[in-house]
Amino acid sequence: MKRLEDKVAIITGAARGIGFSIAEMLSEHGATSIIIDLNHEAVDAAVQQIDDMGNRAIGFTADVTNSDEIASIFKEIHKKFGKIDILINNAGITKDGLLMKMKESDWDAVMNVNLKGTFICTQKVCRYMLKSRSGVIINIASVVGIMGNAGQANYAASKGGIIALTKSSAREFASRNIRVNAIAPGFIQTEMTDKLPQEVIDNYSSAIPLSRMGTAKDVANLCIFLASQEAGYITGQTIQVDGGLIM
């Protein structure tokens, strides 16, 4: 039997990158992956790719900062399936820049999508999980939210906020058998990092004890474990997937 057979899993920001890898792997383990992202064509392509593998996925185009939109979609999902078992808060953006030159609009945009979006999705899903007295929420944070990073004050603050939100919501929901954890990826190979000069990639890798960048599947593998009953006694934790970058 697959580890997540018949589970219903929502993954935000899942049309590509880490989010798609998570959605793909959830479906491989028996879950119905519900992909939420901004780009309609990208959502359709992601759903089709999972369907072509013989697994289950559906998609919605939505903005995680729009509370009414998210509430409506979650209501529709619950009406269709009768439950929501798993929420992966993955949607996020970056707008990097030195603090002294950072535009307030860049600060607001990153905080809204990364932190407020995680809050909205958690708040809207918990009403269903609390009633069913079960559920798993996994928030994608970052090692930058733990150690900070020059030129990413807004991103680091948003991810640090996600870690704090994870701990608080885990305490609130534990009595109803809802587990909330965060994953803090390090340097992960994505479409964005593929565009970096090899010298920059080598410099990043040299700072990592395992001497390589991580992959989206490294993050997805941990998601599968945390979503499964094998992690039934783990909540309120932030687990790093960083090759030993920070210890």
Side-chain angles (χ1 to χ4, degrees):
M1 186 175 179
K2 296 180 179 179
R3 295 165 83 178
L4 301 174
E5 190 72 49
D6 295 328
K7 299 294 185 181
V8 176
I10 297 172
I11 314 96
T12 67
R16 59 184 181 138
I18 291 173
F20 177 73
S21 286
I22 293 170
E24 184 179 39
M25 196 170 289
L26 284 165
S27 68
E28 289 173 359
H29 281 270
T32 297
S33 289
I34 299 169
I35 293 171
I36 295 178
D37 214 311
L38 277 172
N39 186 295
H40 179 72
E41 291 181 356
V43 168
D44 285 349
V47 169
Q48 187 63 54
Q49 190 170 337
I50 291 174
D51 285 348
D52 288 345
M53 297 173 63
N55 297 317
R56 300 189 299 272
I58 61 174
F60 291 90
T61 304
D63 180 350
V64 295
T65 69
N66 187 320
S67 182
D68 291 341
E69 196 170 67
I70 291 299
S72 177
I73 288 172
F74 284 14
K75 183 178 181 180
E76 182 176 344
I77 293 167
H78 189 268
K79 184 177 180 180
K80 179 178 178 64
F81 294 99
K83 61 177 183 174
I84 300 174
D85 300 297
I86 301 162
L87 169 66
I88 313 290
N89 283 308
N90 170 74
I93 62 170
T94 58
K95 287 185 178 290
D96 297 347
L98 294 176
L99 182 62
M100 65 181 294
K101 296 181 179 180
M102 185 174 290
K103 298 176 183 177
E104 285 188 30
S105 59
D106 288 346
W107 173 275
D108 291 342
V110 171
M111 295 298 286
N112 280 339
V113 175
N114 297 6
L115 183 54
K116 184 180 178 182
T118 298
F119 157 72
I120 287 173
C121 291
T122 299
Q123 185 185 62
K124 300 312 176 188
V125 85
C126 75
R127 61 178 293 183
Y128 303 110
M129 292 183 173
L130 289 170
K131 286 181 180 179
S132 66
R133 291 182 173 268
S134 67
V136 174
I137 299 171
I138 301 171
N139 299 322
I140 305 301
S142 170
V143 293
V144 172
I146 300 171
M147 69 180 191
N149 196 32
Q152 288 192 307
N154 49 2
Y155 186 74
S158 72
K159 294 300 187 177
I162 286 172
I163 291 170
L165 176 62
T166 298
K167 293 177 182 294
S168 294
S169 51
R171 288 185 180 276
E172 288 192 23
F173 301 156
S175 64
R176 296 296 183 95
N177 194 36
I178 300 166
R179 297 185 291 106
V180 189
N181 291 291
I183 296 175
F187 293 123
I188 304 297
Q189 184 178 0
T190 62
E191 291 179 14
M192 183 175 66
T193 60
D194 287 342
K195 298 175 183 178
L196 294 173
Q198 188 59 46
E199 181 181 357
V200 174
I201 294 175
D202 291 341
N203 286 338
Y204 280 151
S205 298
S206 67
I208 302 169
L210 287 182
S211 301
R212 68 171 178 87
M213 298 179 75
T215 67
K217 285 191 174 183
D218 290 325
V219 180
N221 281 328
L222 180 55
C223 269
I224 298 304
F225 169 69
L226 289 175
S228 74
Q229 195 50 47
E230 294 168 2
Y233 200 54
I234 300 174
T235 196
Q237 304 305 306
T238 299
I239 304 175
Q240 297 155 213
V241 181
D242 65 358
L245 179 63
I246 55 176
M247 300 187 185

